[in-house]
Amino acid sequence: MEIIPAIDLIDGKCVRLSKGDYNAQKTYSDNPLDVALMFQDAGLKRLHLVDLDGARSKHVVNHRTLENIASHTDLVIDFGGGVKSDEDLKIAFSSGAAMVTVGSTAVSQPELMYEWIDRFGPGRMILGADVRDGYISVNGWKEDSKLTLNDFLNQYTAKGITRVLCTDINRDGMLQGPATGLYRSILKDFPTLGLIASGGVSCVEDLTGLMEAGLPSAIVGKAYYEGRITLEQLSQLANG
């Protein structure tokens, strides 16, 4: 299973929220590049970089931090948060993102998302499926849509999407375990999907459980920052 460490950005700093609540913010580092370099030195290959300012502002904000990390590491970065327009997508890719995660725009402007998939290829687009009580949530998790997870996945796999980053919002940042049952259900319906589990990972056992459930990839954030999972453990899982 591919281990993908996460860095969430507010004001250019590495932070974490609880359940997406901007009032429940904790800063872990003033220099996200230092954090990214630690991940790289541990042998990790990927990075999930989230522009929380962008998600709230509805346009990309922390692109200079993306550029700084991309230009000083070899990490394969997927970038999300605030990608709402052609200009946002252009900024993300030109700043060094290998892939871009798109959630809210895929809900509100599907024709635009289809165009991006056609233009850049499904390999560079990750569908962000942020789920609360079975429905897709949008705009920095502040609003719930009327679109069910299953309908959302059917809609975009039909358009060629192969990677989906699925977050159970009620578990994110809570260190109470991932939504393994939900992911099993998704993989049962979409067995070839490149599903990325996100939210709730609290310990190494959570990651091994996801691995046993057949998850191709999993994101680790708060558990690492709170010292519940060590860099050495992440390295061992990622590199066998």
Side-chain angles (χ1 to χ4, degrees):
M1 185 173 70
E2 184 177 47
I3 302 296
I4 308 174
I7 294 177
D8 292 358
L9 301 170
I10 289 180
D11 295 331
K13 299 176 181 179
C14 175
V15 307
R16 294 298 291 179
L17 308 181
S18 296
K19 294 186 181 180
D21 183 357
Y22 285 80
N23 294 316
Q25 172 187 329
K26 184 173 181 180
T27 300
Y28 290 96
S29 173
D30 290 342
N31 191 338
L33 175 59
D34 288 345
V35 179
L37 286 168
M38 284 193 293
F39 292 142
Q40 176 172 278
D41 291 345
L44 298 171
K45 308 297 184 186
R46 284 281 308 278
L47 178 65
H48 178 55
L49 191 64
V50 183
D51 184 353
L52 291 175
D53 290 313
R56 183 163 50 180
S57 303
K58 301 184 181 182
H59 62 86
V60 171
V61 174
N62 285 289
H63 56 92
R64 298 204 181 280
T65 302
L66 164 61
E67 186 174 28
N68 193 33
I69 293 173
S71 61
H72 290 90
T73 75
D74 295 321
L75 295 168
V76 177
I77 303 170
D78 74 82
F79 179 81
V83 179
K84 305 288 188 183
S85 65
D86 278 348
E87 182 64 20
D88 289 320
L89 201 63
K90 178 182 176 183
I91 289 170
F93 284 138
S94 66
S95 298
M99 293 167 278
V100 169
T101 300
V102 180
S104 299
T105 300
V107 175
S108 63
Q109 300 181 72
E111 294 299 329
L112 179 59
M113 182 64 169
Y114 300 159
E115 180 188 327
W116 289 346
I117 294 168
D118 289 340
R119 194 191 322 168
F120 297 100
R124 299 197 76 186
M125 306 300 298
I126 299 175
L127 183 68
D130 299 328
V131 187
R132 181 158 37 214
D133 303 324
Y135 289 87
I136 299 297
S137 186
V138 295
N139 295 329
W141 302 350
K142 295 194 294 290
E143 304 168 36
D144 292 334
S145 75
K146 295 180 180 179
L147 189 62
T148 67
L149 172 61
N150 205 58
D151 286 346
F152 192 51
L153 295 181
N154 274 314
Q155 175 184 349
Y156 279 101
T157 53
K159 292 295 182 179
I161 280 290
T162 59
R163 288 190 181 95
V164 174
L165 194 161
C166 183
T167 304
D168 185 332
I169 295 169
N170 289 328
R171 294 175 182 263
D172 188 73
M174 301 308 292
L175 300 173
Q176 294 176 351
T180 307
L182 172 65
Y183 300 136
R184 284 184 189 274
S185 176
I186 293 171
L187 288 174
K188 183 179 179 181
D189 292 334
F190 303 90
T192 62
L193 191 64
L195 183 61
I196 306 167
S198 173
V201 169
S202 65
C203 59
V204 170
E205 288 74 20
D206 286 339
L207 290 172
T208 55
L210 289 170
M211 196 178 299
E212 290 165 0
L215 268 295
S217 307
I219 287 175
V220 180
K222 196 169 188 175
Y224 164 71
Y225 294 110
E226 290 289 321
R228 296 188 178 212
I229 299 178
T230 67
L231 207 53
E232 182 179 9
Q233 288 171 322
L234 291 179
S235 177
Q236 288 172 349
L237 283 170
N239 299 297

